[in-house]
């Protein structure tokens, strides 16, 4: 059984204003993302990846942008899903936000 105890695992700084913790099995990855550099004037650059993704907004507010869809204003408790290969992005509306992303297959680019 894989367990991540919040207080026992340090955050990894991805960039200033963004840190994460990762838990994974052989096929599924969950990533806790803490943003602290909002609100943003513009969305993050649009990107895509081969992985299917779901994201839970644990705190804060974002605009979710997904190709072929209207931008969605999301807040604590909301979720979004992104199919494989679809361009997408977020824009942070609040000062801080916590997102919990799940990916399948694993995001090997996130592993050290």
């Amino acid at each position: 059984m894989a367990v991540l105890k919040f207080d026992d695992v340090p955050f990894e700084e991805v960039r200033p204003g963004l840190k994460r913790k990762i838990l994974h099995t052989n096929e599924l990855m969950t990533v806790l993302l803490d943003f602290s550099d909002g609100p943003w004037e513009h969305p993050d650059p649009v990107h895509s990846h081969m992985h299917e993704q779901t994201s839970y907004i644990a705190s804060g507010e974002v605009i979710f942008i997904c190709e072929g869809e209207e931008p969605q204003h999301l807040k604590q408790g909301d979720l979004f899903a992104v199919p494989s290969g679809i361009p997408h992005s977020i824009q942070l509306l609040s000062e801080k936000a916590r997102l919990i992303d799940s990916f399948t297959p694993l995001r090997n680019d996130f592993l050290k």
Side-chain angles (χ1 to χ4, degrees):
M1 174 172 70
V3 173
L4 185 153
K5 290 192 175 186
F6 189 85
D7 292 335
D8 294 345
V9 177
F11 276 101
E12 169 194 358
E13 185 170 355
V14 178
R15 61 166 173 74
L18 174 58
K19 56 188 181 177
R20 69 183 173 200
K21 296 184 184 207
I22 297 173
L23 175 72
H24 66 88
T25 64
N26 290 333
E27 299 294 326
L28 179 66
M29 175 178 278
T30 300
V31 182
L32 176 101
L33 297 162
D34 272 1
F35 295 91
S36 61
D37 61 348
W40 301 340
E41 188 173 331
H42 302 285
D44 257 358
V46 172
H47 68 281
S48 64
H49 41 75
M50 62 166 278
H51 313 85
E52 293 183 345
Q53 174 183 350
T54 61
S55 294
Y56 172 72
I57 314 304
S59 66
E61 293 185 49
V62 301
I63 295 176
F64 170 60
I65 299 151
C66 188
E67 183 178 87
E69 311 236 353
E70 289 294 316
Q72 296 289 317
H73 181 162
L74 304 176
K75 60 180 178 37
Q76 182 176 343
D78 294 335
L79 294 109
F80 64 83
V82 182
S84 175
I86 301 298
H88 61 282
S89 181
I90 64 164
Q91 180 176 353
L92 187 59
L93 298 178
S94 52
E95 180 182 338
K96 296 181 179 184
R98 175 172 284 172
L99 275 62
I100 301 171
D101 294 348
S102 295
F103 297 97
T104 187
L106 292 185
R107 292 284 309 252
N108 288 319
D109 57 320
F110 284 12
L111 300 174
K112 293 182 177 186

